[in-house]
Amino acid sequence: MGQPVILLIKEIYFPVIATIGVPANMLTIVVLCRGKCGLSKCISFYMLAMATADLLVMIINVMVNHIFSYNFPLSFLSHTPVCKSILYLATVALELSIWFTVSFTIDRFAVICCQKFKAKYCTERTVVVVITIFSVLVVLKNVPFFFAYEPQQIIDNMQWGCRSGVAFFSSPIGATFFWFHITCKVCLPFTLIVLFNSLTSRRIIMASRTRKKLRSDKAEEKSDAEIENRRKSIILLFTVSGTFLLVWLTAVVSFVTTGLITPRSYRGDRTNPGYIASESGNMLKFLSSCLNPWIYAATQRKFREDLKKVLKSPCTLILRCIKKISQST
């Protein structure tokens, strides 16, 4: 029998999104560092954090874990300590991407719906604090993953591979950690994004109706700059968060219906519908880290213009960006 179709798809899919996602996120970081794409510093910081996390996802999750480790099973990447570290870093990178998207959604909600709170919350210092707190919490929360895996085999006293530790996940502590991990990775982010987007949409609709009633006939003949700026911000917010929800939907549904643990290697039939659904969701969720740069380019005119300048003289601009970052630190 030939190789299962889902495995053939994975062998093509991951190299393709890595080829697209890595340079796209690197260019996004360079453009945002320049600060010439017409966005506020708060939005730029959140987008920079998301682009950095997405780049880590592309490198660690896609390239290292799903391409190199898969295609070179006997390399040093397969040593159990290295394998554990890769799985830990992959989980951290993916969760950082998720929670930076959530924090971006909450920030836009505060700007649009909480005018009194806006001045205190929507500042550069707050953005740095929020990003730092999320980063530290995610790094610490996933430390138990180092104890959740055991060697697949031992050859000449050398531990090879990683597999889910039955003793860990069957223990009360392991089971509690697993459900806590799923809640923080899937349930809570989904709930928060849907909730804050719903509240933001409601506020926008109400504010737009009120503003149209208050504007005079003379003012109506001219374009409303505030409405236009708000419209651009909302398009960016809803496109980013909406895409995130869409590509993660398959992973969520497959987990709910099959009960498979994402990082665990499925030991059954690879033509089983449950396995195919789980792997399809696993592939699609990485697509979110590949799509964001294209969303920025499609929804932000000044971002596109600055991106063109970067592409015309990449080496010079990258060196300037690095110099700017080193001076700021």
Side-chain angles (χ1 to χ4, degrees), residues 196-236:
F196 284 108
N197 275 342
S198 300
L199 294 174
T200 303
S201 300
R202 180 174 178 273
R203 175 70 176 181
I204 292 170
I205 294 173
M206 294 176 60
S208 298
R209 290 175 179 175
T210 303
R211 190 171 183 82
K212 287 180 180 179
K213 292 180 181 179
L214 294 176
R215 292 172 62 197
S216 62
D217 294 335
K218 184 177 180 180
E220 287 178 359
E221 296 176 359
K222 300 179 181 180
S223 61
D224 193 327
E226 183 177 339
I227 291 294
E228 182 65 19
N229 291 333
R230 183 178 296 176
R231 184 184 68 84
K232 292 180 180 179
S233 178
I234 293 310
I235 290 175
L236 177 62

Side-chain angles (χ1 to χ4, degrees), residues 22-87:
V22 171
N25 281 295
M26 291 179 67
L27 286 172
T28 299
I29 292 173
V30 173
V31 171
L32 293 173
C33 285
R34 284 164 51 82
K36 297 181 180 180
C37 49
L39 298 169
S40 67
K41 290 187 177 181
C42 288
I43 296 180
S44 297
F45 280 0
Y46 278 117
M47 290 173 61
L48 183 59
M50 289 190 291
T52 303
D54 289 340
L55 179 60
L56 291 176
V57 170
M58 287 290 107
I59 294 174
I60 300 173
N61 297 64
V62 177
M63 293 180 64
V64 176
N65 193 29
H66 287 282
I67 297 179
F68 297 151
S69 296
Y70 178 80
N71 289 289
F72 304 99
L74 299 179
S75 67
F76 78 98
L77 297 175
S78 298
H79 291 305
T80 300
V82 178
C83 178
K84 286 184 177 182
S85 299
I86 292 173
L87 292 175

Side-chain angles (χ1 to χ4, degrees), residues 46 98-114 117-118 121-122 126 130 134 188-189 191-197 200 237 241:
Y46 278 117
I98 293 170
W99 281 104
F100 288 161
T101 303
V102 174
S103 62
F104 173 70
T105 304
I106 296 175
D107 176 80
R108 294 300 87 196
F109 165 79
V111 170
I112 296 170
C113 302
C114 308
F117 185 59
K118 173 183 175 181
Y121 180 79
C122 302
T126 303
V130 169
F134 274 123
L188 188 57
T191 303
L192 291 176
I193 290 177
V194 172
L195 173 63
F196 284 108
N197 275 342
T200 303
L237 168 64
S241 56

Side-chain angles (χ1 to χ4, degrees), residues 307-318:
L307 178 61
K308 292 177 182 178
K309 295 178 181 178
V310 171
L311 292 174
K312 289 179 181 179
S313 54
C315 296
T316 303
L317 293 174
I318 289 173

Side-chain angles (χ1 to χ4, degrees), residues 2-15 70 283:
Q3 194 174 23
V5 175
I6 188 65
L7 297 183
L8 293 174
I9 294 175
K10 288 172 64 177
E11 290 180 357
I12 300 172
Y13 175 80
F14 285 118
Y70 178 80
M283 289 189 292

